[in-house]
Amino acid sequence: MLQPLFLKPVFKERIWGGTALQKEFGYSIPTEHTGECWAISAHPNGPSVIENGPYAGQTLDKLWKDHPELFGNPKEAVFPLLTKILDANMDLSVQVHPDDAYAKTHENGELGKTECWYIIDCKEGADMIFGHNAQTKEEFIQQAKEGKWGTLLRRVKIKPGDFFYVPSGTIHALCEGTLVLETQQSSDTTYRVYDYDRKDADGNLRELHLEKAIDVTAVPHQGSITVPKTAAKDNATITTFVESTFFSVYKWDINGTFSFASDDTYLLVSIIKGGGSLVHQGKSYKLEKGRHMILPFGFGEFEVNGECELIVSHP
């Protein structure tokens, strides 16, 4: 009998991290500079461990290889997605990610990195860097090398509930006071463009990757605007944020009992607010804020009971 696969997150210390992951979700974080929760991950730099059922104790990357039937016998060699929660206690570096072709050639076969952000929370008046103002590659190179960041970089205001799709090649950076759920390709490749001249714990400036960043940055900025679509079903409101080549991402706002059937894909699910239960084939599973799970391929009909918000994705 298929069961939900609940996952134990992996936490990453970051120079810009804080304690919001502990305060908001009750996680046991390793330090007071914890920036990332790798919630659903099969990436070798931080694979999640299955917590329940017959596969308890196995890592997600091993499960992908040993039991492909749980994922519909996919063609991909590696699990394609990575779900994170980010605590931007300070500004992140201004950065850009490569596409699949560039990463395969220059990053030892790694996937490219298209990603998206759901703003769980942010301080009042928060903004982020999203894109640039250069019209030609030459203009981009000149302003970057001269450090004209105020002129070059675009800032946009954000608020809780906002969603941003960030294709590879997009200059971007989360800024101070932002808590975000990120759905991305399973990649750990980032090219830093600018890091505010910050120094690490040893007093060294962090490495920049300006030449590679110049290679992959889209010029002019492509400005991918997504228009969420909302539909009511039973006791739920389903918001479709994006349906792309790499992933589809939704938010389920549930108040009561919501019935759903999942047969033709596997689902990545994160509970970001509230709680309740998932009932499948007569068995009930507790849903709590901050838990993450995969519903395997062919999971079939199930119910979610309670008051909760879920971020749901699939390839």
Side-chain angles (χ1 to χ4, degrees):
M1 184 179 74
L2 291 175
Q3 299 182 26
L5 303 170
F6 288 95
L7 297 146
K8 182 179 181 181
V10 176
F11 296 97
K12 301 284 185 177
E13 186 176 14
R14 296 289 185 254
I15 193 171
W16 41 262
T19 58
L21 292 170
Q22 179 186 56
K23 293 173 183 175
E24 185 70 19
F25 295 103
Y27 294 138
S28 179
I29 58 175
T31 75
E32 293 188 351
H33 296 283
T34 302
E36 300 188 6
C37 163
W38 289 27
I40 304 176
S41 168
H43 195 281
N45 291 352
S48 306
V49 174
I50 311 301
E51 289 188 316
N52 67 303
Y55 308 110
Q58 293 190 32
T59 56
L60 182 55
D61 56 337
K62 186 174 190 301
L63 198 65
W64 176 262
K65 292 177 182 176
D66 293 350
H67 292 279
E69 72 278 3
L70 294 173
F71 308 96
N73 296 303
K75 296 178 181 178
E76 298 98 333
V78 296
F79 189 79
L81 299 183
L82 173 54
T83 301
K84 296 178 182 176
I85 302 179
L86 308 180
D87 169 19
N89 186 53
M90 298 169 58
D91 292 349
L92 274 67
S93 61
V94 179
Q95 55 194 246
V96 65
H97 306 303
D99 63 14
D100 286 343
Y102 191 93
K104 183 178 181 180
T105 301
H106 296 272
E107 304 297 339
N108 300 315
E110 176 92 317
L111 291 177
K113 191 175 176 185
T114 285
E115 61 190 11
C116 61
W117 299 329
Y118 175 76
I119 311 298
I120 298 173
D121 198 11
C122 61
K123 67 179 186 180
E124 188 172 352
D127 62 7
M128 71 177 192
I129 292 167
F130 190 65
H132 61 83
N133 294 310
Q135 296 304 303
T136 65
K137 189 74 85 169
E138 291 74 20
E139 184 183 354
F140 180 86
I141 293 168
Q142 180 180 357
Q143 293 198 25
K145 290 190 171 180
E146 292 177 0
K148 295 182 177 179
W149 305 112
T151 303
L152 179 60
L153 301 175
R154 292 186 182 184
R155 288 184 175 268
V156 297
K157 291 293 183 182
I158 62 172
K159 63 185 185 304
D162 282 349
F163 179 87
F164 295 89
Y165 183 61
V166 189
S168 60
T170 304
I171 294 287
H172 63 278
L174 293 173
C175 296
E176 178 186 344
T178 311
L179 188 66
V180 168
L181 186 138
E182 177 176 290
T183 303
Q184 60 161 91
Q185 290 181 270
S186 184
S187 171
D188 199 22
T189 299
T190 293
Y191 299 148
R192 291 194 198 103
V193 179
Y194 175 56
D195 194 39
Y196 308 97
D197 299 320
R198 283 185 293 204
K199 296 181 179 180
D200 62 20
D202 298 321
N204 301 312
L205 292 171
R206 293 208 297 167
E207 182 183 5
L208 300 180
H209 316 95
L210 191 55
E211 296 307 317
K212 286 183 175 180
I214 289 168
D215 282 348
V216 305
T217 297
V219 181
H221 172 59
Q222 299 301 314
S224 57
I225 298 174
T226 58
V227 180
K229 303 173 188 174
T230 301
K233 185 180 185 297
D234 298 336
N235 295 303
T237 300
I238 310 298
T239 303
T240 301
F241 287 126
V242 67
E243 294 174 309
S244 78
T245 305
F246 305 103
F247 44 69
S248 297
V249 181
Y250 315 87
K251 181 159 71 87
W252 294 0
D253 288 286
I254 299 171
N255 189 354
T257 298
F258 171 61
S259 300
F260 194 81
S262 175
D263 291 308
D264 57 357
T265 187
Y266 54 94
L267 299 178
L268 287 63
V269 182
S270 298
I271 300 98
I272 59 169
K273 187 176 181 179
S277 63
L278 182 149
V279 180
H280 178 247
Q281 296 183 354
K283 190 169 182 180
S284 180
Y285 304 87
K286 190 174 184 180
L287 302 182
E288 296 176 294
K289 180 180 176 181
R291 295 199 78 187
H292 309 270
M293 62 183 173
I294 295 173
L295 304 184
F297 182 90
F299 194 69
E301 295 183 2
F302 63 93
E303 286 184 355
V304 176
N305 301 302
E307 294 185 19
C308 52
E309 291 183 11
L310 315 178
I311 299 294
V312 180
S313 63
H314 61 77

